[in-house]
């Protein structure tokens, strides 16, 4: 199994369950829903439209991912 690092745009944020919906950069159709977010990211940083870094642990299964960073 290979871990793949991708970037994306935060489209939705569930601050209660700590999940994000992310549009993967370079794809209009690939949106990852209910992606767990690293708990060391402050909720205030999770603003819609923000760029995020995603670790995909199994590139064949987009649901097996985590948002681990936000950046401008």
């Amino acid at each position: 199994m290979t871990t793949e690092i991708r970037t994306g745009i935060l489209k939705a944020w569930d601050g209660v369950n700590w999940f994000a919906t992310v549009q993967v950069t370079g794809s209009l159709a690939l949106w990852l829903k209910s992606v767990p977010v690293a708990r060391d990211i402050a909720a205030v940083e999770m603003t819609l439209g923000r760029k995020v870094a995603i670790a995909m642990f199994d590139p064949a299964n987009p649901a097996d991912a985590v948002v681990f960073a936000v950046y401008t």
Side-chain angles (χ1 to χ4, degrees):
M1 180 168 34
T2 303
T3 301
E4 186 176 306
I5 304 298
R6 304 284 300 266
T7 60
I9 304 295
L10 183 64
K11 294 297 184 176
W13 164 240
D14 175 356
V16 173
N17 297 306
W18 225 258
F19 290 124
T21 297
V22 178
Q23 179 182 10
V24 176
T25 302
S27 174
L28 295 176
L30 183 56
W31 286 43
L32 305 177
K33 297 179 181 176
S34 298
V35 179
V37 176
R39 295 292 178 138
D40 62 339
I41 298 174
V44 70
E45 298 293 336
M46 299 300 289
T47 56
L48 302 185
R50 189 99 191 252
K51 293 179 183 178
V52 296
I54 311 148
M56 298 178 72
F57 301 108
D58 181 1
N61 179 9
D64 191 12
V66 65
V67 173
F68 68 91
V70 294
Y71 61 100
T72 50

